Structure formats: structure tokens, C-alpha cells
Amino acid sequence: KNEVEQSPQNLTAQEGEFITINCSYSVGISALHWLQQHPGGGIVSLFMLSSGKKKHGRLIATINIQEKHSSLHITASHPRDSAVYICAVRVDRGSTLGRLYFGRGTQLTVWP
Amino acid sequence: GAVVSQHPSRVICKSGTSVKIECRSLDFQATTMFWYRQFPKQSLMLMATSNEGSKATYEQGVEKDKFLINHASLTLSTLTVTSAHPEDSSFYICSARDKLLPYTGELFFGEGSRLTVL
């Protein structure tokens, strides 16, 4: 079983729709990352959060540490948002920054 | 923002040959670089952690003699896939940690390298 589970695996939306991608994890973490992977493979870090909520433009990320759950929301979705969105959690090892565990990603396709 | 450049972006090679992939931090110094592998429809999997000036730390199940990692400077780490076989065909991607931001956990990824072994 993967330490990080994402849902849905695939998501199709019409331009303008509100999008939600969910991430659940089973381990204690120090931080959670939301990443965007473009069709060519390159990855961009969208958010790093350890509590509460962060907003950047049309993107909002929330995390509930007690429930071990995070959501990524996209408001007013656009075709250029089409990408794979990956949730990753950081598990610390003592005093050093620990390793990351990745979800399998959510393929988002936004149609015009 | 911080930029990590990976080269080549695509490489096709014959079985038995070795392939070198470079990961460069362009506008910052990276004390630590990470190498990941991603098979189709699968999660990214950490292969090894590369620290400048010291030996890389490999994850369980990753053969250090097959995947040679060199981190000779604060801006360059290389991954060499030795005697590549078709099962090594995958997407390899690196990420780097800024020397000046060692504990923030910020992630800067390269563009990735798609290796196809015939």
C-alpha cells in the first residue's frame, strides 16, 4: 500500500469549473507538497504546507493534519491547467530533512 | 525563481551502453541533489540522495554500481546508468536543495530525462 493516496486518478472538466484533487496519507509528516507535472515531464512545486491553507492565484491548498488529508482546489479552471498534479509528503528523520513519498498523481484535463 | 537544468531531455541508446544524465542548479548552490525514477503511471521513486563532496546514499533496491552518482560541485550532479538494459527505460528526474535554504524543504526540480534503451 502506498503511503500517499490521491483521488481521483483522472479528472476531466470544462473550462471554468471548480476542481478538487484529494490526497490522503498514512504516516506522520512534517510537510506536504503539491506538484504540477507538465506533459513533457518537468515538475513545478506549487505549494508546501504543514498546516492550514495557502492560496496562489487560482490555486488553493488545504491540509488537515489530524485527518491526514489535503486538498488542492483550482478555481475557474483553464485548459492550460491540464497537467498531472502530484501530492508528496515529507517524513522527517530525526534532525535532518527526511525523504519524500509521492502519490501516483491525478491527470487533469480541462476542455475549452 | 531557482532553476534546475537537466540534460539530455531525451536519450535513446543500445542495450549494454552507458548513459550520463546531468543535473545543474543554474542560479543557486545545491548541497544536496535527489535523483528519482518514474515509470509510466507510477509515482516518483527516490533512487538516491547526492551530497556534494561525498558518496551518494542509495535507497533500498537501487544498485549503486549500476546507477553511478557523482556530485563533484555545488552546481552539478550526474547520474550514469551503466550497461543499460531495456528495463532501465524510464523517466529520470532530479531535484536540488538550495545551500542557503537547507531546512525549508523547498523543492526545485529539473525538467527530467526520458531514457529509452533498445
Side-chain angles (χ1 to χ4, degrees), chain B residues 99-111:
Chain B
K99 177 183 178 182
L100 298 179
L101 305 170
Y103 299 112
T104 64
E106 288 287 343
L107 298 176
F108 306 106
F109 284 88
E111 306 97 329

Side-chain angles (χ1 to χ4, degrees), chain A residues 2 4 9-10 33 35 37 39-45 48 86 88 90 93 95-105 107, chain B residues 9-10 34 36 38 41-46 49 57 59 91 93 95 97 101-112 114:
Chain A
N2 202 20
V4 182
Q9 253 186 307
N10 294 283
H33 298 260
L35 311 171
Q37 186 170 29
I43 293 176
V44 173
S45 178
M48 180 180 69
I86 300 170
R90 181 179 304 283
R93 295 173 180 164
S95 61
T96 61
L97 277 177
R99 61 166 294 170
L100 290 174
Y101 294 86
F102 296 84
R104 294 191 179 194
Q107 173 69 63
Chain B
S9 57
R10 290 181 181 273
F34 304 89
Y36 304 91
Q38 184 182 35
K41 306 294 184 185
Q42 299 295 314
S43 311
L44 278 82
M45 293 297 294
L46 179 65
T49 302
T57 303
E59 294 298 306
F91 185 70
I93 191 165
S95 70
R97 182 179 296 159
L101 305 170
Y103 299 112
T104 64
E106 288 287 343
L107 298 176
F108 306 106
F109 284 88
E111 306 97 329
R114 188 163 302 282

